[in-house]
Amino acid sequence: GENVGLHLPTLSVQEGDNSIINCAYSNSASDYFIWYKQESGKGPQFIIDIRSNMDKRQGQRVTVLLNKTVKHLSLQIAATQPGDSAVYFCAENTADSWGKLQFGAGTQVVVTP
Amino acid sequence: DVKVTQSSRYLVKRTGEKVFLECVQDMDHENMFWYRQDPGLGLRLIYFSYDVKMKEKGDIPEGYSVSREKKERFSLILESASTNQTSMYLCASRPDGQGNQPQHFGDGTRLSIL
């Protein structure tokens, strides 16, 4: 939504630099994790996912890292572009939750020229 | 590509009205979800449905009901709208029975209750 970025931590990144967005999760039983991107006025858009039997997964310009020991998830965006400006959410899913997701609060990423 | 369509982008209703929010997906997904999104509170699950005519309460079902008469359509109903239901409402869907799959979202309905 238009004002979803209010009250969120903000990451300012210069165009061309790499971005790292962090997320801590709480449920050690979570076995599937997703990153979403939400642009102003739009719904969350799926970026990349990772299962708990993996530590790293790469997509196009994005990499997700999972550290189960400290329950930490990160999203790395290579060569950040103005179109990457958005709110980024992590989400976790436990195996017995009917596909229900628990969402993080989100991080506002602002790309400056 | 998965397409989740919410019938209205913006909606203004009055207190006490019965409000219907419609969501349609074109990918034959079994599971569908309704969320509301508020600044500082993130996405909160209202109701979900794991198949036709099935429904389950989410974290904040009070004041809402849902209907899933057809697989592709999931409706959220505000029985008697109140001002604290002013929010962005998001619908999502995902397939079932194929291991872990992401939810796919519509672009939301911004509902204002006056």
Side-chain angles (χ1 to χ4, degrees):
Chain A
E2 287 85 350
N3 59 350
V4 70
L6 292 178
H7 313 296
L8 295 178
T10 299
L11 176 68
S12 292
V13 183
Q14 194 150 14
E15 184 177 355
D17 285 353
N18 297 334
S19 305
I20 300 176
I21 307 162
N22 295 304
C23 181
Y25 65 94
S26 56
N27 191 341
S28 56
S30 294
D31 64 348
Y32 176 59
F33 304 87
I34 308 170
W35 279 101
Y36 287 95
K37 171 187 180 184
Q38 187 174 22
E39 297 174 272
S40 181
K42 294 187 177 181
Q45 176 187 3
F46 168 77
I47 303 173
I48 192 168
D49 57 3
I50 187 168
R51 289 164 175 73
S52 59
N53 61 352
M54 304 171 69
D55 297 324
K56 179 179 179 179
R57 190 166 187 222
Q58 287 184 289
Q60 188 175 14
R61 280 202 308 120
V62 294
T63 300
V64 56
L65 299 177
L66 175 62
N67 185 330
K68 294 180 286 294
T69 304
V70 295
K71 297 202 282 285
H72 183 267
L73 193 67
S74 68
L75 178 71
Q76 300 177 3
I77 304 174
T80 311
Q81 302 169 358
D84 295 326
S85 292
V87 175
Y88 289 81
F89 297 95
C90 65
E92 59 183 296
N93 171 229
T94 53
D96 60 349
S97 63
W98 289 105
K100 290 191 297 181
L101 297 175
Q102 190 72 36
F103 287 86
T107 298
Q108 174 87 56
V109 172
V110 178
V111 181
T112 56
Chain B
D1 278 353
V2 176
K3 184 70 174 175
V4 179
T5 303
Q6 294 183 233
S7 55
S8 304
R9 290 301 305 277
Y10 299 93
L11 209 53
V12 180
K13 296 291 182 180
R14 296 206 174 272
T15 303
E17 280 193 70
K18 190 169 186 176
V19 181
F20 293 85
L21 302 184
E22 304 290 346
C23 175
V24 175
Q25 49 92 4
D26 66 356
M27 288 300 293
D28 203 36
H29 287 171
E30 288 80 11
N31 303 160
M32 296 188 74
F33 306 81
W34 274 107
Y35 297 87
R36 61 178 286 176
Q37 184 176 34
D38 301 287
L41 297 176
L43 277 83
R44 293 181 291 168
L45 182 64
I46 305 171
Y47 266 96
F48 67 103
S49 168
Y50 50 88
D51 211 336
V52 178
K53 298 195 183 292
M54 301 296 188
K55 59 184 179 183
E56 294 287 337
K57 292 180 180 179
D59 300 319
I60 51 163
E62 296 78 18
Y64 303 94
S65 63
V66 288
S67 174
R68 185 100 182 266
E69 294 298 316
K70 293 185 178 181
K71 194 174 188 179
E72 66 271 19
R73 185 179 297 271
F74 192 34
S75 303
L76 179 69
I77 304 155
L78 285 66
E79 297 291 342
S80 178
S82 63
T83 54
N84 64 10
Q85 292 178 309
T86 291
S87 186
M88 168 68 88
Y89 288 87
L90 291 162
C91 175
S93 73
R94 72 181 281 276
D96 192 17
Q98 299 179 28
N100 288 317
Q101 294 285 335
Q103 292 179 22
H104 296 272
F105 286 83
D107 278 336
T109 295
R110 182 158 291 283
L111 176 63
S112 296
I113 306 297
L114 305 179

